[in-house]
Amino acid sequence: MDIKTNIPLSTLTTMRLGGPARFFAEASTVEQLVNLYRNAKKLQQPVTIIGGGSNIIAHDEGFNGLIIRNGIKGFEVVADDGDTTTFKIGGGENWDNVVQRTVKQGLSGIETLSAIPGTTGAAPVQNIGAYGQEIADTFISLEAYDSENDTLVELDWQDCSFSYRHSIFRGSSQGRYAITSITLKLYKKNLKPPFYSGLQRYLDENNISEYTPQAIRTAIIAIRGDKLPDPQFVANSGSFFKNAIVETWQYTKLQEQYDDIPGFKMDDNHYKIPTGWLIEEAGLKGDVINGIKIHTGNALVLINESASSYADLANARDSIISAVRDKFQVVIEQEPLEI
Ligand code: NAP
């Protein structure tokens, strides 16, 4: 297997920042992945696994260890009961290709997760979600290498402790598991309204009333294409901030001051406030701070226009967090993980 040295993390991450990885290799099989981990352990080198690099921010000093890119492919039907089809998918498969292939088969469950960059193995890490679907809804299980116990494991839905854009893989077990495959169960039926308002608007404007997985996918691709910069051409890492989850009393208080503040009830005690709205209302949309632009199409997205270091990004991030906190007394949090 080809192990490279001194590969800039700026070439492996879509924010295009970060110093060199001491070692870098791509694993195309589970066996290769396990061998890479074992050899790194013998050499006392830390290991980090990455997928498409679209939800990771790298530091200027780089990574003094081994970065493994997950290139494990695979797409097989493991069960079909007439109403549902269950797939086992390699962790290194491009996520949107997976959505495209399942949608082509008329299957529902992940169609609104169209056009999300990154790999399939990375999808459960932050429980990717968009327009009302999240991967936890169709997730059955995953296979992973447990680097703590040097063994291959299978984890089911409960083991992963999914919550809003979160799982054990970015919480209590961060860095422990390398996800080699995931198993999803999809449905042979169409989605039913109500839809998110942006999606409904597009469907209405285009006179679409048959909500086939393909029609929904086409709509999502068009909507995202309008609002979000493509990381292939524009350096960014999708939503840079999580939506703010606040207690109901705080949301009610903010409503008294800002009667147009959007909010969505999460449970009896919490509301979700779109962070894009908070950043825009703080007057920052379109601003450029240290070469980092707050995207005009969606203020949740930060674009690296000309930042040359992690420090530039961190300063911009901290200024945005402070501005939102000063205006609304809400502390917003970064979504991408850091290496
Ligand atoms: P939008 O439609 O302008 O809405 C702003 C926010 O309000 C969304 O983030 C969404 O939360 C929430 N929201 C809207 N309608 C809702 C409803 N009916 N019920 C509950 N929550 C609702 O959002 P947008 O920024 O263009 O994003 C649209 C979708 O794409 C969202 O689901 C968003 O999460 C997803 N997205 C994800 C990323 C990423 O990198 N992770 C990037 C861009 C967009 P939720 O985020 O909880 O859905």
Side-chain angles (χ1 to χ4, degrees), residues 126 129-132 164-165 195-198 224 227-228 237-239 243 264 272 274 298 300-301 335:
Q126 64 152 343
Y131 298 95
Y164 182 65
R165 306 290 189 272
F195 298 121
Y196 270 36
S197 60
R224 287 186 69 108
K227 290 176 85 166
L228 297 170
S237 51
S239 297
N243 282 324
F264 300 92
K272 172 178 68 183
N298 185 339
L300 213 50
V301 176
E335 184 177 288

Side-chain angles (χ1 to χ4, degrees), residues 11-56:
T11 62
L12 301 174
T13 55
T14 61
M15 193 56 106
R16 293 181 208 149
L17 291 174
R22 185 166 184 201
F23 301 108
F24 170 75
E26 175 150 331
S28 326
T29 64
V30 176
E31 201 187 353
Q32 282 180 355
L33 180 101
V34 172
N35 284 336
L36 283 166
Y37 267 94
R38 286 186 180 154
N39 287 332
K41 193 167 186 186
K42 266 191 223 146
L43 299 169
Q44 295 185 312
Q45 295 293 312
V47 180
T48 289
I49 185 155
I50 63 168
S54 53
N55 206 39
I56 289 182

